[in-house]
C-alpha cells in the first residue's frame, strides 16, 4: 500500500492508473481528520472499500460515525487527509477543483434529502441541468426517457412547486440518471417523505440498478430504506464495522442498536 501510494503521488491520475475493472467506487486507506493536536477528530480512520458496478449499497451507522464524511469524500465533495478514491476507474484524489466539478456533473448523480430543484425551471429543464452544466448538448429525448422511467412522462413542463414531495424526489432521480453516471450518491433520500412515498422512491433507485445497471451508494439511518440495498455497510467511529447482505429491517435495526450501545450514541439519530 505504501509503495502504491508513493507511485500515485508521482503519477497522479494518468491513463494507466485505471483501477480494478468493474469497480464503480474504490476507497483505499481513506482517512479524514478535522483539527489537529489534542482536538483532532478522526471522522474517517482508514476505509477500504470496493463496490462493483450495478450494485446498491446502503451505508449506516450511529450519529457521528462518519457517514456524511464518507459520502463527501467518496463523491469528490471533500478531500481525504490520506488514502485515495477512484470512481469508475478514475482516481479523483489529486484532481483540481474544476476537474472534480466537471467529474461530478458528468459522471456522478446526486439525490439528497432536500430535493435541490431550481423552482424557476421546468421539470425537464431541471433534469437537463447536469448536461447543460457539463457543456453537453441537452438531449430532450433522453430527458423524456428518464422522466418516463420515474413515472413523470406527463409532467415535463410542470414547475417543481406544482409537484408533491415524492414527485419532486422522482425528478431528482431522473436528473441523477440523465447522464448515465458511474455512481449515484444518495443522502437520506427519503428523509422528507412519508413511508409509502419513500418506498416508491427507493423502488425507483432499485430499478435503476436492476434495469439500467446503475450503481447506487445511499447513506441512511432508516432500516426500512436500507433493505432496498443489496448490502448494508456499517460505520462506527470512522471505520467499517461489518456488513449485512439482503437483510431484514429487524436485523439491520438490531445491528444498529448494538453499534450505538458500543459507541455510546443513539441508533436512529442523524448528525
Ligand atoms: P455522521 O454523518 O455519521 O453523523 P459525520 O461524518 O458528520 O458523521 O461526522 C463524523 C465525526 O467528524 C463526528 O465526530 C463529527 O463531529 C466530526 N466532524 C464532521 N465534520 C466536522 C467538521 N467540519 N469539523 C470538525 N469535526 C467534524
Amino acid at each position: 500500500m505504501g509503495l502504491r501510494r508513493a507511485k500515485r503521488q508521482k503519477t497522479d491520475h494518468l491513463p494507466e492508473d485505471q483501477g480494478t475493472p468493474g469497480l464503480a467506487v474504490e476507497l483505499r486507506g481513506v482517512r479524514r481528520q478535522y483539527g489537529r493536536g489534542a482536538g483532532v477528530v478522526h471522522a474517517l480512520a482508514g476505509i477500504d472499500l470496493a463496490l462493483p458496478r450495478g450494485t446498491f449499497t446502503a451505508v449506516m451507522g450511529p450519529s457521528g460515525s462518519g457517514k456524511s464524511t464518507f459520502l463527501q469524500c467518496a463523491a469528490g465533495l471533500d478531500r481525504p487527509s490520506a488514502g485515495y478514491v477512484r470512481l469508475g476507474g478514475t482516481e479523483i484524489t489529486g484532481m483540481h477543483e474544476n476537474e472534480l466539478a466537471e467529474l461530478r456533473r458528468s459522471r456522478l448523480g446526486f439525490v439528497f434529502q432536500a430535493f435541490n430543484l431550481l423552482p424557476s425551471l421546468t421539470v425537464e429543464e431541471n433534469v437537463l441541468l447536469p448536461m447543460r452544466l457539463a457543456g453537453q448538448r441537452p438531449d430532450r429525448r433522453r430527458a423524456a426517457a428518464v422522466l418516463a422511467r420515474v413515472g413523470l412522462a406527463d409532467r415535463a413542463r410542470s414547475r417543481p412547486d406544482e409537484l408533491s414531495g415524492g414527485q419532486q424526489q422522482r425528478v431528482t432521480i431522473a436528473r441523477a440518471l440523465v447522464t448515465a453516471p458511474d455512481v449515484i450518491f444518495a443522502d437520506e433520500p427519503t428523509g422528507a417523505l412519508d413511508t409509502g412515498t419513500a418506498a416508491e422512491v427507493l423502488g425507483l433507485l432499485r430499478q435503476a440498478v436492476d434495469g439500467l445497471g446503475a450503481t447506487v451508494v445511499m447513506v441512511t439511518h432508516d432500516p426500512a430504506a436500507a433493505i432496498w440495498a443489496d448490502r448494508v455497510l456499517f460505520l462506527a467511529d470512522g471505520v467499517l464495522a461489518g456488513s449485512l447482505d439482503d437483510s431484514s429491517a429487524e436485523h439491520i435495526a438490531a445491528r444498529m442498536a448494538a453499534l450505538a450501545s458500543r459507541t455510546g450514541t443513539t441508533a436512529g439519530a442523524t448528525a
Side-chain angles (χ1 to χ4, degrees):
M1 184 61 81
L3 207 120
R4 193 175 187 95
R5 224 177 267 162
K7 177 173 173 274
R8 175 179 65 77
Q9 278 163 6
K10 277 210 189 90
T11 58
D12 221 351
H13 45 277
L14 291 176
E16 76 255 26
D17 195 11
Q18 288 298 307
T20 311
L23 291 183
V25 181
E26 216 180 335
L27 273 69
R28 296 294 168 204
V30 169
R31 296 174 164 273
R32 177 67 167 101
Q33 64 184 51
Y34 295 106
R36 20 183 60 215
V40 69
V41 175
H42 297 283
L44 297 179
I47 303 281
D48 289 285
L49 184 65
L51 305 178
R53 289 180 189 277
T55 57
F56 188 165
T57 306
V59 178
M60 303 189 78
S63 177
S65 60
K67 299 181 297 295
S68 305
T69 309
F70 164 80
L71 196 84
Q72 300 266 320
C73 287
L77 293 159
D78 186 16
R79 292 179 192 276
S81 313
Y84 68 79
V85 176
R86 282 198 184 109
L87 295 175
T90 303
E91 176 154 357
I92 67 165
T93 323
M95 282 188 171
H96 293 296
E97 192 46 51
N98 54 351
E99 287 178 286
L100 266 179
E102 159 64 20
L103 176 129
R104 287 196 299 265
R105 285 182 198 129
S106 58
R107 293 181 45 191
L108 303 181
F110 291 94
V111 179
F112 292 133
Q113 176 170 348
F115 312 131
N116 298 326
L117 296 169
L118 293 185
S120 61
L121 300 184
T122 66
V123 162
E124 183 194 49
E125 287 165 346
N126 269 286
V127 168
L128 286 172
L129 199 58
M131 280 188 158
R132 284 188 198 281
L133 291 173
Q136 299 165 12
R137 230 174 91 206
D139 182 343
R140 296 189 63 191
R141 283 175 57 183
R142 173 89 189 142
V146 289
L147 280 171
R149 197 159 251 288
V150 301
L152 293 176
D154 54 346
R155 303 310 298 264
R157 290 165 180 275
S158 301
R159 307 271 164 190
D161 66 3
E162 295 165 343
L163 304 180
S164 69
Q167 287 172 324
Q168 290 186 49
Q169 196 61 308
R170 285 163 180 256
V171 177
T172 73
I173 293 175
R175 183 182 61 185
L177 289 171
V178 79
T179 55
D182 285 318
V183 192
I184 295 174
F185 288 101
D187 191 1
E188 299 284 1
T190 54
L193 304 176
D194 64 69
T195 313
T197 312
E200 285 170 23
V201 163
L202 291 159
L204 288 171
L205 289 174
R206 183 73 248 174
Q207 277 173 31
V209 174
D210 295 338
L212 299 174
T215 308
V216 176
V217 179
M218 171 178 77
V219 164
T220 182
H221 72 281
D222 182 2
I227 55 169
W228 292 82
D230 304 303
R231 168 168 283 193
V232 183
L233 298 178
F234 295 93
L235 275 175
D237 298 327
V239 295
L240 287 173
S243 65
L244 285 174
D245 289 353
D246 302 318
S247 193
S248 67
E250 292 73 25
H251 221 125
I252 295 168
R255 183 71 74 88
M256 283 286 282
L259 279 179
S261 62
R262 200 183 94 187
T263 58
T265 47
T266 317
T270 47

